């Protein structure tokens, strides 16, 4: 049985608690959060605390908190004997340098407020300078996910940059698309089958092969017509920037 303490009350912490509570051979001993009201998601099976004065003994301590808070929070775990990990994709393991046994437990997924998701298809990236600790983190990861991979901090940071492009930036494009639809009284839901198919076909082909649209085809007439329809200056700049990037990637002349 792997014993775990979770620090945090945000989206990642809540999803991890929900998943680990249901996992075989895992026991969540405690959840620590500064705001007692935000600990309401914790069931009776785990102790809750709003400070670091009474940290219970555990095999693994998970800092599921904001990147900026990791270094300061780690100071509270200088004397613990368990593994101290954080869940950040962009933060080095060096932020846990004061811990006896530092590590990384990074679930590569977007977590949204009030939305609990399953972990079985979420890649979990782990890191530790100690082989035995790495094996324990891998064991914990395997209780949740079908994909557990060892990545160094530099690789994980690079992966996080890629994740920003495919998730955060892509979602912002959805926001722009929704704004355009709303401006013209069109239901954004009409675009959802297209969004789903765009993602689904990546199971079979590469993103480069999946690219379609007027920019790839070099369809200047359609591109100019679109720019005439777009009234918002920022949206026009985005459209032009992205269209030119696609043209360059696929060898079309501007």
């Amino acid at each position: 049985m792997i014993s775990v303490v979770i620090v945090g009350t945000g989206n990642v912490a809540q999803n991890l608690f929900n998943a680990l509570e249901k996992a075989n051979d895992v026991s969540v001993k405690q959840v620590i959060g500064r705001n007692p009201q935000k600990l309401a998601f914790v069931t009776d099976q785990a102790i809750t605390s709003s400070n670091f004065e009474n940290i219970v003994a555990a095999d693994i301590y998970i800092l599921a908190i904001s990147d900026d808070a990791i270094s300061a929070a780690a100071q509270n775990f200088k004397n613990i004997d368990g593994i101290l990990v954080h869940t950040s994709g962009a933060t080095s393991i060096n932020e846990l340098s004061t811990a006896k046994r530092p590590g990384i437990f990074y679930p590569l997924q977007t977590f949204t407020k009030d939305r609990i998701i399953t972990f079985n298809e979420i890649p979990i990236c782990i890191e530790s300078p100690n082989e035995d600790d790495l094996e324990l983190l891998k064991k914990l990861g395997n209780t949740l996910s079908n994909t557990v991979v060892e990545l160094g901090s530099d690789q994980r940071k690079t992966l996080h940059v890629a994740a920003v492009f495919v998730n955060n930036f892509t979602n912002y494009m959805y926001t722009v698309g929704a704004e355009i639809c709303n401006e013209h009284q069109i239901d954004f839901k009409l675009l959802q089958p297209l969004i789903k198919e765009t993602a689904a076909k990546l199971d079979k082909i590469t993103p480069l092969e999946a690219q379609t649209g007027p920019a790839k085809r070099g369809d200047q007439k359609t591109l100019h017509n679109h720019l005439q329809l777009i009234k918002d200056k920022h949206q026009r700049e985005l459209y032009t920037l992205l269209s030119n990037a696609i043209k360059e990637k696929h060898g079309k002349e501007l």
Side-chain angles (χ1 to χ4, degrees), residues 7-77:
V7 179
T9 57
N11 302 332
V12 177
Q14 290 188 32
N15 272 274
L16 272 173
F17 176 79
N18 183 72
L20 290 172
E21 188 183 37
K22 298 175 181 177
N24 294 326
D25 301 320
V26 176
S27 174
V28 180
K29 295 292 187 180
Q30 184 180 41
V31 180
I32 302 173
R34 290 177 297 180
N35 187 337
Q37 295 180 339
K38 292 186 177 181
L39 289 165
F41 67 91
V42 181
T43 65
D44 294 337
Q45 296 182 23
I47 301 169
T48 61
S49 177
S50 297
N51 58 60
F52 294 98
E53 294 179 1
N54 300 303
I55 303 172
V56 303
D59 297 314
I60 300 173
Y61 298 81
I62 302 176
L63 301 181
I65 55 181
S66 66
D67 294 3
D68 292 342
I70 290 172
S71 180
Q75 302 299 317
N76 298 285
F77 294 86

Side-chain angles (χ1 to χ4, degrees), residues 1-251:
M1 182 73 71
I2 303 173
S3 56
V4 173
V5 168
I6 298 173
V7 179
T9 57
N11 302 332
V12 177
Q14 290 188 32
N15 272 274
L16 272 173
F17 176 79
N18 183 72
L20 290 172
E21 188 183 37
K22 298 175 181 177
N24 294 326
D25 301 320
V26 176
S27 174
V28 180
K29 295 292 187 180
Q30 184 180 41
V31 180
I32 302 173
R34 290 177 297 180
N35 187 337
Q37 295 180 339
K38 292 186 177 181
L39 289 165
F41 67 91
V42 181
T43 65
D44 294 337
Q45 296 182 23
I47 301 169
T48 61
S49 177
S50 297
N51 58 60
F52 294 98
E53 294 179 1
N54 300 303
I55 303 172
V56 303
D59 297 314
I60 300 173
Y61 298 81
I62 302 176
L63 301 181
I65 55 181
S66 66
D67 294 3
D68 292 342
I70 290 172
S71 180
Q75 302 299 317
N76 298 285
F77 294 86
K78 289 181 179 180
N79 299 318
I80 66 163
D81 294 323
I83 306 171
L84 179 67
V85 302
H86 69 64
T87 60
S88 169
T91 305
S92 171
I93 194 174
N94 293 332
E95 294 296 309
L96 304 177
S97 59
T98 56
K100 295 179 182 179
R101 299 162 65 190
I104 302 295
F105 194 82
Y106 167 50
L108 178 55
Q109 185 53 277
T110 175
F111 296 95
T112 306
K113 184 179 180 180
D114 299 326
R115 181 173 173 83
I116 300 298
I117 58 179
T118 58
F119 270 70
N120 60 307
E121 293 186 0
I122 297 177
I124 295 178
C125 306
I126 60 173
E127 180 183 359
S128 172
N130 181 284
E131 286 296 326
D132 290 337
D133 290 351
L134 196 65
E135 283 302 313
L136 185 57
L137 292 177
K138 185 181 297 183
K139 184 177 178 181
L140 180 66
N142 285 332
T143 66
L144 301 178
S145 172
N146 299 324
T147 305
V148 180
V149 295
E150 180 184 354
L151 289 181
S153 286
D154 289 342
Q155 288 178 304
R156 179 168 38 80
K157 289 179 182 179
T158 301
L159 181 63
H160 191 261
V161 172
V164 168
F165 273 92
V166 303
N167 174 243
N168 305 131
F169 291 169
T170 300
N171 190 76
Y172 181 71
M173 293 299 102
Y174 298 159
T175 301
V176 173
E179 289 172 350
I180 292 171
C181 286
N182 293 337
E183 182 181 351
H184 296 276
Q185 293 77 52
I186 300 170
D187 189 350
F188 177 73
K189 290 183 179 180
L190 293 173
L191 292 172
Q192 289 182 349
L194 174 63
I195 293 169
K196 292 176 182 178
E197 172 57 19
T198 302
K201 63 185 176 182
L202 298 182
D203 287 338
K204 303 292 183 180
I205 57 178
T206 68
L208 187 67
E209 294 170 325
Q211 188 68 59
T212 61
K216 181 189 177 183
R217 297 192 301 268
D219 187 345
Q220 293 296 125
K221 183 177 180 179
T222 298
L223 293 172
H224 289 310
N225 286 340
H226 284 177
L227 285 171
Q228 288 179 340
L229 287 169
I230 300 172
K231 305 304 180 185
D232 183 271
K233 179 183 177 182
H234 180 58
Q235 292 174 357
R236 287 172 61 88
E237 290 174 350
L238 277 174
Y239 188 95
T240 301
L241 177 66
L242 293 171
S243 294
N244 286 343
I246 293 170
K247 285 180 180 180
E248 183 177 353
K249 174 62 68 175
H250 290 273

